[in-house]
Amino acid sequence: MITELTDTSSRDIAAALIKARRTVGTASGLVLTLLIVTDGEHFDEVLAAAQASATAHPSRVIVVTYVDAEKPQLDATIQVGEGHPGDLLILRLHGRLREHGDSICLPLLLPDSPTIVWWPNNAPDNLALDPIGSLADRRITDAASAPDPQEALIRRARNHAAGDTDLTWTRLTRWRALLAASLEQTRATITGACVRSAPDNAPATLLAAWLSDRLGVDVTRVDGDGIGVNEVVLNTDDGDIVLSRVREGTAHYRVPGEPERSVALRRRPLTDLLTEELQRMDADDIFERTVQKVLEDSEAS
Amino acid sequence: MNAYNNPLRNPQDRRLPRIAGPCVLVIFGVTGDLSRKKLMPAVYDLANRGLLPPGFALVGFARRDWANQDFAQQVHDAVKENARTEFREEVWEQLLEGIRFVSGSFDDDAAFARLGETIRELDETRGTGGNHAFYLSIPPSGFETVMTMLRKHGLTEGGEDNWNRVVIEKPFGHDLQSAKELDDVVSALFEPHEVFRIDHYLGKETVQNILALRFANQMFEPIWNNHYVSHVEITMAEDIGIGGRAGYFDGIGIARDVMQNHLLQLLALAAMEEPTSFEASQLRTEKKKVLAAARVPEPYDLHTARGQYAAGWQGGKPVIGYLEEEGVSADSGTETYAAIRVDIDNRRWAGVPFYLRTAKRLPRRVTEVALSFKRAPHLPFTATDTEELGTNALVMRIQPDEGVTLRFGAKVPGTQMEIREVSMDFGYGGSFTESSPEAYERLILDVLLGDPPLFPQQEEVELSWKILDPVLEYWASLDEQPEQYEAGTWGPRSGLEMLARDGFKWRRP
């Protein structure tokens, strides 16, 4: 059921939402509110990812977009049912309303359950102080979609607040898991490490910082030909541990004393990343330490 | 050797999944239904979720004349058809490299020699490091033969740095005696912590859900005792008959098939005290304590009931009765409906009967644990106001649609004062991931990681038989056949009377 409201208010939206729910008869099992702040350009892609993750985490999705206009006006589309669990609200904030997004969203958040804000492209400098960001328990950004990802990452690090995470970090989970597993297998002491990646790749910067922080060794960065992270080498006294992506979807994995094997390692789609992010509501301390390390390194150089 | 502290791991880093170490999974009885529908898809799903190690190998063993690629094709088809997650070529290729097939029967020395060679070859080329898991997806009668052959051909020899584990499925024997005999066979070759018994009705997820509900919350535990609970009903109903499984089912009966393991496990989980931690050993200690305190009260003719489904209409279709099923003799005394009352002799539960029932050909497929509460000691309403008010209930729905239901009274709007029962509902499917991992996925991962399973160990199996054996003996001593009940109904009259005697009535699940 889709309801269109023009020049409306939070109160009318809430009333229309209850009416829609009664009509469709959905159970109220929603676990979180996901606020998405995006521009017109990425709207469809972002909406598709949010709806796909809503199958894993039934949620109330509120998409906030800004419209340049003289007159402050709020337009809304409410969608309940329509093949997706949960509710979908699309809010178009005209003109000055941009500065009062919090007053519009606050009455529409689900009671008690966590609120997450996701800026799929451009994010404000300080997330926790942003009107909409201040409503959230968790704030998700994506440095990789910024014009200068490295710079965006540093900016994130500088203004980090508990509950902030970035999708560049989420992209690394599978790499990190395989590297952790390789150490469990060899139990070797790591004497050095090297990360090869596309030039200025933001996830690679994080990965190198993480390795250096956890292993206490210097991590060399090398430019490679592939996209994203290409290869990680960990030096041990018995030989190198190598994890290298040979083509999209497949990586070679080698540990000392064992035959080389291939493992599936693909670039994860947006839906996967978002689903992983929504899985946990607590602050990611390891991410925080890693971005601080990135910040220290950049200030030292 | 477990003292290694991985610098890349940190308890706070909860994104990082645990990936199993390199190993070979050998499946016996790989041509069976279970293997095709559940095991092979579960292996793929694990690989797809990135939880299988680089260097994982899957060996099938069966009496088919297959080459490796024929088997790989079978796995491929099974995965495409039944896997929970999306099929991805690169994941499949990773699996494919380690797929082997060994053809032979369970008593064929040459075949086991070939199996040994295959495994050794994999240890070298795939780097599986001598870690082997054996999944016996075969009838228990074959266990001894396979186990003997495994030992004879040195396939389970372990060193310091490698492991061997075995997975067996219910039934774990058909009475106390046979359960012990079966255990002798298994434990001759494997240590208790290397044996993984799976009860696929009761996945680890479900067990953990029950534990979380009971022990992570403050509001349920205070009423979880005989001060507030009047009785507990544990139901596992199936809408199907025995199908073509007369050979397996006739002579065994539903009490041995389901009650001994599944229902008594549910009883233990619902009734046990809080474990000091959620380590498997602590959990087991509590389950054992409550099982040891449980017994079926005598006389058995008053507190147990059994039945056989008769011809009838099941959901709009005519179905035949148990005695008319192919392979079942007309004088069969095997029950397809079993209900027992279990009393638990401890301070928490004294005086609260637990009613367990399970049957085939009931109206619908459902498993649940329902706690019925006593009525409020004083109701400040007139009797007519509360005519429609039943008793409060808390229902843990196990399947389908896993969740929790609360039943309580609410005033009917607009009437002067009329109180009626309403439901408050929570569904895991509604609030969390649509598809939580299959029981088999969790189990196989536990086996490969060496995580102590939450599945019962031998002592619990034996305690369960001790509860059930006297009833089974009593039923066997009766001359008459089990009472007939029409298919598609909620069971025989004796089942209803058994509760009526105590002043209760089965709820309709």
Side-chain angles (χ1 to χ4, degrees):
Chain A
M1 173 164 186
I2 300 177
T3 315
E4 294 281 354
L5 298 172
T6 324
D7 201 1
T8 183
S9 67
S10 297
R11 175 185 288 236
D12 292 341
I13 294 173
L17 195 55
I18 290 176
K19 188 159 165 259
R21 286 194 148 277
R22 284 241 171 104
T23 318
V24 178
T26 22
S28 54
L30 305 187
V31 286
L32 55 90
T33 309
L34 175 63
L35 282 159
I36 305 175
V37 186
T38 183
D39 51 33
E41 204 182 320
H42 298 87
F43 188 81
D44 293 340
E45 176 200 358
V46 165
L47 194 62
Q51 289 194 318
S53 346
T55 30
H57 309 275
S59 40
R60 172 170 298 169
V61 178
I62 305 179
V63 186
V64 179
T65 58
Y66 300 116
V67 182
D68 286 328
E70 276 294 304
K71 178 176 165 254
Q73 178 181 320
L74 173 64
D75 294 346
T77 307
I78 302 165
Q79 187 177 319
V80 177
E82 301 294 319
H84 289 282
D87 316 331
L88 173 67
L89 304 179
I90 299 166
L91 307 180
R92 287 174 292 275
L93 279 57
H94 298 247
R96 277 192 296 116
L97 277 186
R98 171 189 276 265
E99 287 129 58
H100 303 287
D102 52 342
S103 81
I104 294 165
C105 293
L106 191 54
L108 298 175
L109 303 181
L110 289 173
D112 276 350
S113 41
T115 303
I116 294 105
V117 183
W118 175 34
W119 290 270
N121 0 86
N122 290 326
D125 281 352
N126 195 321
L127 307 178
L129 295 182
D130 177 80
I132 289 185
S134 67
L135 300 175
D137 309 286
R138 289 264 287 101
R139 289 164 293 273
I140 303 166
T141 50
D142 190 356
S145 72
D148 181 350
Q150 295 287 340
E151 190 272 327
L153 206 54
I154 304 284
R155 199 161 30 137
R156 287 282 78 82
R158 203 161 273 144
N159 299 306
H160 184 89
D164 292 1
T165 51
D166 197 282
L167 294 185
T168 46
W169 179 242
T170 325
R171 291 191 176 91
L172 293 173
T173 304
R174 178 88 175 110
W175 282 89
R176 298 196 302 124
L178 281 167
L179 291 169
S182 77
L183 285 203
E184 252 134 46
Q185 217 183 316
T186 57
R187 304 187 169 206
T189 310
I190 306 299
T191 54
C194 175
V195 174
R196 192 157 57 81
S197 70
D200 270 344
N201 178 262
T205 307
L206 271 179
L207 184 58
W210 176 66
L211 286 171
S212 152
D213 183 52
R214 301 299 313 168
L215 298 172
V217 297
D218 285 333
V219 181
T220 325
R221 293 285 303 275
V222 184
D223 287 347
D225 309 326
I227 36 173
V229 179
N230 299 174
E231 180 181 68
V232 178
V233 178
L234 304 177
N235 313 115
T236 79
D237 290 339
D238 306 320
D240 290 348
I241 295 171
V242 182
L243 181 61
S244 76
R245 176 136 62 193
V246 286
R247 59 176 177 279
E248 171 49 26
T250 306
H252 283 169
Y253 171 93
R254 198 170 71 229
V255 298
E258 281 182 28
E260 180 173 284
R261 291 166 297 226
S262 57
V263 294
L265 182 61
R266 61 165 180 165
R267 290 169 68 83
R268 300 163 75 198
L270 200 50
T271 309
D272 266 30
L273 301 176
L274 193 59
T275 306
E276 178 180 318
E277 280 304 316
L278 298 185
Q279 237 149 34
R280 27 178 313 169
M281 290 302 141
D282 50 339
D284 188 334
D285 302 323
I286 302 295
F287 172 70
E288 180 173 349
R289 275 184 62 173
T290 308
V291 284
Q292 289 315 316
K293 174 85 178 149
V294 171
L295 188 61
E296 284 162 27
D297 292 350
S298 83
E299 278 165 357
S301 64
Chain B
M1 77 176 246
N2 284 322
Y4 177 72
N5 197 354
N6 187 343
L8 293 182
R9 291 228 185 256
N10 183 314
Q12 288 172 330
D13 198 348
R14 294 199 284 130
R15 278 173 203 269
L16 281 196
R18 285 179 66 203
I19 299 181
C23 54
V24 183
L25 175 65
V26 184
I27 302 182
F28 291 93
V30 78
T31 47
D33 240 21
L34 178 82
S35 167
R36 219 180 55 247
K37 287 201 179 124
K38 298 285 184 187
L39 298 183
M40 298 194 286
V43 167
Y44 172 83
D45 287 332
L46 285 173
N48 200 2
R49 290 165 66 207
L51 299 176
L52 287 188
F56 168 82
L58 176 68
V59 179
F61 187 101
R63 207 180 321 181
R64 290 289 163 88
D65 199 13
W66 281 346
N68 287 341
Q69 59 265 34
D70 301 326
F71 176 54
Q73 189 58 41
Q74 292 290 322
V75 181
H76 183 268
D77 294 349
V79 166
K80 274 225 156 159
E81 202 175 317
N82 297 313
R84 185 173 65 87
T85 55
E86 172 200 3
F87 187 83
R88 302 211 326 256
E89 203 57 43
E90 68 266 21
V91 175
W92 170 246
E93 272 166 27
Q94 180 191 343
L95 267 184
L96 184 63
E97 285 178 19
I99 292 183
R100 303 285 185 276
F101 185 77
V102 176
S103 164
S105 59
F106 297 151
D107 53 2
D108 181 354
D109 270 308
F112 274 81
R114 278 200 302 281
L115 179 63
E117 277 164 33
T118 307
I119 292 178
R120 272 184 290 277
E121 180 255 329
L122 286 168
D123 281 346
E124 264 168 40
T125 59
R126 300 282 296 162
T128 42
N131 299 323
H132 310 138
F134 299 95
Y135 198 119
L136 305 193
S137 180
I138 56 175
S141 56
F143 283 7
E144 188 160 8
T145 327
V146 172
M147 295 275 186
T148 316
M149 292 298 264
L150 286 178
R151 177 161 45 184
K152 188 169 160 196
H153 291 271
L155 291 172
T156 57
E157 278 166 24
E160 274 286 292
D161 300 322
N162 66 340
W163 49 258
N164 287 292
R165 299 183 185 129
V166 67
V167 187
I168 54 178
E169 305 218 359
K170 79 167 183 72
F172 313 123
H174 52 84
D175 58 15
L176 183 58
Q177 180 61 31
S178 62
K180 282 183 170 164
E181 285 165 13
L182 181 70
D183 182 57
D184 288 341
V185 172
V186 178
S187 59
L189 214 52
F190 295 95
E191 295 289 319
H193 68 270
E194 295 172 334
V195 183
F196 293 73
R197 289 177 182 78
I198 184 172
D199 172 355
H200 57 273
Y201 285 120
L202 194 58
K204 192 169 185 173
E205 288 287 328
T206 302
V207 175
Q208 288 175 333
N209 290 344
I210 295 177
L211 294 178
L213 177 83
R214 282 198 59 194
F215 301 119
N217 296 303
Q218 171 76 332
M219 64 179 166
F220 300 123
E221 199 54 22
I223 54 167
W224 211 271
N225 55 50
N226 49 12
H227 294 291
Y228 298 95
V229 176
S230 68
H231 68 288
V232 180
E233 296 173 24
I234 304 179
T235 300
M236 176 175 163
E238 287 180 90
D239 53 1
I240 51 169
I242 57 162
R245 301 199 311 145
Y248 166 75
F249 189 85
D250 196 47
I252 294 287
I254 197 145
R256 285 189 175 93
D257 190 31
V258 178
M259 201 173 259
Q260 177 269 335
N261 35 64
H262 190 46
L263 262 60
L264 284 173
Q265 279 293 311
L266 281 177
L267 172 121
L269 289 167
M272 68 180 192
E273 297 298 316
E274 181 175 39
T276 47
S277 79
F278 285 122
E279 271 175 36
S281 61
Q282 296 295 334
L283 198 61
R284 230 173 261 131
T285 309
E286 292 305 333
K287 281 200 286 178
K288 276 188 283 199
K289 260 165 63 186
V290 75
L291 285 176
R295 64 185 167 82
V296 181
E298 287 181 86
Y300 296 135
D301 58 335
L302 297 185
H303 298 304
T304 71
R306 58 181 189 142
Q308 268 174 352
Y309 60 82
W313 286 79
Q314 169 106 47
K317 281 197 186 120
V319 295
I320 55 171
Y322 180 70
L323 297 178
E324 295 138 42
E325 297 273 5
E326 199 183 323
V328 176
S329 71
D331 59 352
S332 169
T334 305
E335 82 283 349
T336 65
Y337 174 103
I340 59 171
R341 169 175 156 177
V342 177
D343 288 355
I344 298 175
D345 300 324
N346 63 23
R347 181 173 277 239
R348 186 191 285 265
W349 293 119
V352 179
F354 283 68
Y355 299 103
L356 277 55
R357 67 170 158 172
T358 177
K360 293 187 180 292
R361 285 263 184 255
L362 292 192
R364 73 187 195 99
R365 172 176 161 260
V366 59
T367 305
E368 63 168 41
V369 179
L371 277 70
S372 290
F373 292 90
K374 296 177 179 174
R375 274 183 93 107
H378 168 69
L379 290 169
F381 306 98
T382 62
T384 47
D385 293 345
T386 53
E387 212 167 323
E388 286 298 307
L389 175 67
T391 53
N392 297 160
L394 187 156
V395 183
M396 295 187 277
R397 304 193 308 269
I398 312 291
Q399 65 158 0
D401 185 24
E402 195 168 355
V404 180
T405 306
L406 275 177
R407 302 275 300 165
F408 58 93
K411 181 183 171 294
V412 180
T415 60
Q416 260 187 342
M417 180 44 94
E418 187 188 329
I419 296 166
R420 197 187 292 164
E421 241 177 276
V422 292
S423 284
M424 203 155 72
D425 228 24
F426 158 72
Y428 286 91
S431 291
F432 296 112
T433 327
E434 214 177 35
S435 51
S436 53
E438 273 269 351
Y440 283 99
E441 236 174 291
R442 278 302 291 265
L443 174 91
I444 293 174
L445 187 62
D446 280 350
V447 173
L448 302 186
L449 285 171
D451 254 7
L454 295 182
F455 296 102
Q457 282 194 342
Q458 183 59 22
E459 223 182 311
E460 275 171 74
V461 173
E462 286 180 18
L463 282 168
S464 305
W465 281 122
K466 275 184 195 159
I467 298 170
L468 207 55
D469 267 358
V471 177
L472 294 173
E473 276 160 29
Y474 165 73
W475 284 349
S477 73
L478 300 175
D479 291 331
E480 72 265 19
Q481 280 177 286
E483 188 185 343
Q484 300 285 309
Y485 61 96
E486 201 180 319
T489 65
W490 281 107
R493 176 169 294 278
S494 56
L496 304 179
E497 283 167 356
M498 174 186 138
L499 256 71
R501 240 169 248 130
D502 298 341
F504 300 119
K505 187 166 165 277
W506 290 107
R507 59 185 300 276
R508 180 162 44 79

